[in-house]
Amino acid sequence: MAKKVHIDPVTRIEGHLAVSVEVESGKVSKGYCKGEMFRGFETILKGRDPLDAQQITQRICGVCPVSHGMASVLAQEQAYDVDPPENGRIIRNIILGANYIQSHIIHFYHLSALDFIDIKAIVNYKGKDRALNNLKDWVKAELASDSLYPAAPFLPRYEGRYIENTDLNIMAIKNYLDALDYRSLAHKLGATFAGKLPHAPTLIPGGVTEKVTSKKIAACKSMIKELKFFVDNMYLQDIFAVAQAFPEYFNIGKGYGNYLSYGVFPEASRNSQQLFSQGVIIEGDIKKFNVSRITEDVKYSLFSSPSGLSPYQGETIPAPGKDGAYSWIKAPRYGQYPMEVGPLARIMVEYLSGGNQVTIDLVDATLRKTGLKIGALDSVLGRHAVRALECKIVADRCEKWIDELKEGAVVFNDFNICENGKGVGLTEAPRGALGHWMNIKNFKIENYQCIVPTTWNCSPRDKEGTPGVLEKAVVGTPVEDRENPLEAARVVRSFDPCIACAVH
Ligand code: NFE
């Protein structure tokens, strides 16, 4: 008989998520993904000045605000028919690139690594590193104390099999600590042109407000070099170390194999080539993306609006207590398909469409090194690995974008807000495909709808009863101990969920 197991709350993610699974014969047979909070940004935006949108929507999240600001200015640029000049485009790529780097670093080291690394190994540290000794002394003192939760937030944790090699654990813990500084450095890199971070005031329709100076270029060059060093020598190495210790996680966490990428990091003006291309993969076939195929279902979501609406007509009417509904996350679908979004989707679209050679070569080198086939990337470790590869691709490209900046050249093109109009801004946040749909009437926002990466990945069932991507990926996961469903939690974290965004 199936036994219910609740991971509630899912810790070490952004926002409030509960995942319930049914376990039969030691494996997950069903999964339910529950977004646990309503926020209401789409309602807040109604009736406001359209130019408020890129500032207000950035407050949806502190981790991917740049992407929300970008989606909002792209929607407005379509409505006002304006494009950024070259310098504006490149500055945006650098700010967004820096945001990817910090987001991927925090996801691996500070949110996911403790699924695999044994933090308790620190008590056996014998070296002279000051930070490690500080951590060791603190953990020992905590464990000897009568605190209710000693060594929180590292402990308590789901118990199970963690890395057993002490040196490997210590190396990863050292990188965990260093990653705090590198993440901060990535924010400094982005803030050089963002004005400040995490919420970037510089983003406006038509470009950015921050000018290019030789001093800023020099500062950015030195920061990106340091970040590249960390990504190449620590992040990628730690991912391979985890992969060697847990090879079975290339077979756990398989999704539908349907991928959606809107494309991101334009390499020339609007609708031109992008570092990561736009595309859709359904049942192994790469297809041209068609925005009109996107709709949202709410049968199992706590909203009273009808299912199947296009986001331009989308409604957000909360209905707490709705019969049969179990999540504050809507269920976006492409046609009838639940689509996986994120680094895996971007890399799969790029690889299968024969796109950017740098990406293809890096994926091929990784497959050679691990002896895996491309399909194995559709897994827990595959998602972690391609996120790290993507971090490298973005960091390397960022260095070149900095070289392409032109001191003193214009950073924005002027525009007029339209009296009536509409626009969709499609971009890729670190966690995947992000769209903002905006209707303008009498110079005010009439309707605003966001479909966010974690809304795609963590959706509940749709009107046909088809489970969302994470709900599908967790099925089949072996759970050794129902009191410690560590294996299922690893599947959940591989998606890097952000529920703050998903429930927006
Ligand atoms: Ni709140 Fe986000 C990203 C967006 S996730 S982190 O990346 O958009 O849904």
Side-chain angles (χ1 to χ4, degrees), residues 260-368:
L260 167 66
S261 168
Y262 293 151
V264 69
F265 298 117
E267 298 286 16
S269 60
R270 189 166 56 180
N271 296 333
S272 66
Q273 200 191 345
Q274 310 189 72
L275 179 62
F276 297 112
S277 314
Q278 187 175 78
V280 176
I281 297 171
I282 295 176
E283 290 159 2
D285 287 334
I286 183 113
K287 297 181 191 300
K288 205 166 158 15
F289 168 70
N290 177 352
V291 67
S292 68
R293 298 199 70 196
I294 295 174
T295 55
E296 283 193 296
D297 282 3
V298 291
K299 181 170 178 190
Y300 293 96
S301 310
L302 292 154
F303 298 97
S304 61
S305 44
S307 278
L309 293 180
S310 138
Y312 274 130
Q313 280 82 47
E315 294 176 15
T316 304
I317 306 167
K322 177 176 149 185
D323 259 0
Y326 60 89
S327 180
W328 286 104
I329 302 175
K330 293 181 185 175
R333 294 293 185 262
Y334 185 80
Q336 76 269 35
Y337 298 102
M339 304 298 289
E340 177 162 352
V341 300
L344 179 60
R346 286 190 284 266
I347 297 278
M348 283 301 211
V349 166
E350 206 57 37
Y351 189 83
L352 295 182
S353 65
N356 176 353
Q357 200 57 43
V358 172
T359 300
I360 293 170
D361 289 348
L362 207 51
V363 172
D364 281 338
T366 305
L367 296 178
R368 272 198 305 277

Side-chain angles (χ1 to χ4, degrees), residues 86-97 193-194 202 208 210-212 405 411:
E86 280 299 276
N87 251 5
R89 171 185 68 77
I90 297 166
I91 287 178
R92 286 181 182 180
N93 283 352
I94 294 167
I95 299 169
L96 186 57
F193 287 111
T202 196
V208 296
E210 201 69 26
K211 292 194 180 122
V212 177
L405 287 170
V411 290

Side-chain angles (χ1 to χ4, degrees), residues 14 39 60-65 67-68 99-100 103-104 346 428-436 451-456 496-502:
E14 324 286 340
R39 298 186 72 204
I60 289 173
C61 185
V63 183
C64 66
S67 300
H68 285 290
N99 182 256
Y100 268 56
S103 180
H104 288 359
R346 286 190 284 266
E428 288 281 319
R431 284 156 197 74
L434 171 66
H436 286 196
I451 302 185
V452 170
T454 302
T455 317
W456 285 103
D496 192 2
C498 173
I499 306 305
C501 275

